[in-house]
Amino acid sequence: MMQAVCVDVPGGPENLLLRSVPRPQPKDGHVLIKVHAAALNRADLLQRRGLYPPPPGESDIMGLEVAGTVDTLGPALRRPWKPDDRVMALLSGGGYAEYVSVPEELLMAVPSDLTFSQAAAIPEAWLTAFQLLHFIAQVKEGEVVLVHAAASGVGTAAVQLVRLLGAVPVVTAGSREKLRVAEKLGAAAGFNYKEENFVQGVHDFTGGRGADVILDCIGGCNWEKNVGSLAVDGRWVLYGTMGGRSVEGDLLGRLLSKRGHLLSSLLRSRSRQYKADLVKAFSHRVLPHFSGQPASLRPVIDSTYRLEDIAEAHRHMEANRNTGKIVINVLPQNEEPTD
């Protein structure tokens, strides 16, 4: 048996229950991970409320990314994993628990410079940002990329990845403090969407041309400003609808006038092969940059909670108080990295 967070009735954070459940057994091609740390994502809040169920056949337990150690090796593995290897993993569910079974192709070795808490902040957020920029938008060197919610987990990853790809990040966020964090990570310009017109800011920064790419997790309420910010032939990539799903007005006409590309993507519902290809590309192109002196990439941690305090962690995210990732320490953490 193991401890895991369960939801019997969809609703608020108070409906999150820590209880004993059967420990999963690794199937063919799977590895059982002893979870040291997991991290929160907006998808977890939706699932808790009954609005974002896991894909068919996946665990009902929330949690889309973890870091820990290899506990048990399933049959028919192709890679030389060993017990106690330090790993992090992209999940479709199951992370809010002491153990999780993961297909081996979704595992990544934890860079030696990172703690488990730092590593847990990487898989979902950074793979999402990399997917949006590299697979979906196909960002090119020198392009201007507008990143909304720049202080979120995906946002802080995206700003750094835009720089890594040789492009130029400009950002929006809801406070001067969050903009300062994004600027320290490499944002060339930042706009407080609560106090200023980011459309004008983007046009001033680009000399009137607009952003080549927009990473948008807001959706409905921002559509006019997004189209207004978009360069001719630009790509607007939608990956969330925190600002609503409904659109009123001449979206199609305005987008057509810019010859704009409206793209959308989710990661959780992708096929196992797609995720495996994404993990392989990320491991090759991005993961090495988390190591070395000085490392050029770093996960941004807002706060850490114990597993038994998961409800408070959800409240913290729902209040939009976090800058970077919220991490759940499932085991007591020795925060010194080990080689």
Side-chain angles (χ1 to χ4, degrees):
M1 302 294 286
M2 67 175 184
Q3 292 292 298
V5 175
C6 303
V7 179
D8 293 338
V9 180
E14 66 278 3
N15 289 20
L16 296 168
L17 306 171
L18 186 61
R19 67 157 60 108
S20 184
V21 301
R23 182 187 301 184
Q25 298 300 313
K27 302 178 292 186
D28 284 4
H30 282 58
V31 171
L32 185 68
I33 299 175
K34 185 175 185 178
V35 178
H36 290 237
L40 267 64
N41 291 277
R42 289 278 169 183
D44 303 341
L45 308 186
L46 294 173
Q47 182 172 337
R48 189 201 70 225
R49 292 161 55 196
L51 302 176
Y52 193 23
E58 300 293 345
S59 173
D60 291 332
I61 298 170
M62 285 177 287
L64 300 179
E65 55 192 341
V66 297
T69 52
V70 171
D71 182 85
T72 306
L73 303 175
L77 294 177
R78 297 182 178 181
R79 296 170 62 185
W81 300 108
K82 302 184 303 295
D84 298 324
D85 280 349
R86 299 172 78 241
V87 294
M88 54 189 180
L90 177 68
L91 311 174
S92 294
Y96 290 10
E98 292 180 314
Y99 294 86
V100 65
S101 180
V102 184
E104 66 167 331
E105 61 267 35
L106 303 187
L107 287 180
M108 295 173 281
V110 173
S112 60
D113 296 343
L114 298 185
T115 66
F116 286 119
S117 293
Q118 291 171 319
I122 291 176
E124 173 70 17
W126 283 78
L127 284 166
T128 292
F130 180 69
Q131 178 211 197
L132 298 173
L133 293 166
H134 184 59
F135 281 28
I136 307 300
Q138 299 181 20
V139 170
K140 301 176 182 63
E141 187 174 351
E143 290 189 317
V144 173
V145 181
L146 174 60
V147 179
H148 290 312
S152 67
V154 173
T156 54
V159 170
Q160 297 177 73
L161 288 173
V162 170
R163 283 294 187 190
L164 184 67
L165 294 171
V168 182
V170 298
V171 304
T172 69
S175 72
R176 172 44 52 186
E177 293 75 17
K178 291 183 176 184
L179 289 175
R180 276 196 288 267
V181 170
E183 287 162 2
K184 287 181 179 179
L185 294 174
F191 313 106
N192 185 336
Y193 66 85
K194 295 180 179 179
E195 298 178 354
E196 57 189 315
N197 182 351
F198 69 77
V199 180
Q200 187 61 51
V202 170
H203 280 276
D204 289 345
F205 180 83
T206 59
R209 189 170 59 85
D212 301 290
V213 174
I214 299 174
L215 295 193
D216 179 25
C217 59
I218 307 301
C221 70
N222 259 7
W223 80 262
E224 288 185 279
K225 293 178 180 178
N226 279 329
V227 176
S229 302
L230 196 64
V232 173
D233 294 318
R235 289 97 74 202
W236 170 14
V237 182
L238 180 70
Y239 70 100
T241 55
M242 291 172 57
R245 299 184 176 192
S246 299
V247 170
E248 294 183 5
D250 187 22
L251 168 61
L252 297 181
R254 294 277 303 280
L255 191 62
L256 188 60
S257 72
K258 291 282 186 81
R259 299 198 303 269
H261 302 252
L262 178 55
L263 307 166
S264 65
S265 184
L266 294 172
L267 182 53
R268 188 183 192 184
S269 58
R270 294 282 190 174
S271 70
R272 181 166 156 181
Q273 185 59 56
Y274 181 96
K275 293 177 182 178
D277 292 342
L278 178 62
V279 166
K280 183 177 181 180
F282 180 86
S283 298
H284 175 70
R285 296 200 54 177
V286 179
L287 207 53
H289 296 277
F290 286 99
S291 301
Q293 296 297 326
S296 58
L297 301 177
R298 64 180 181 91
V300 178
I301 306 297
D302 172 82
S303 51
T304 59
Y305 292 83
R306 299 177 304 168
L307 190 61
E308 52 264 42
D309 297 324
I310 187 67
E312 189 57 37
H314 272 232
R315 292 187 184 98
H316 187 65
M317 176 172 274
E318 279 189 320
N320 291 321
R321 293 197 297 263
N322 60 298
T323 298
K325 295 290 289 185
I326 300 170
V327 173
I328 303 301
N329 286 333
V330 179
L331 289 180
Q333 297 294 297
N334 174 5
E335 289 301 331
E336 292 300 320
T338 57
D339 293 327

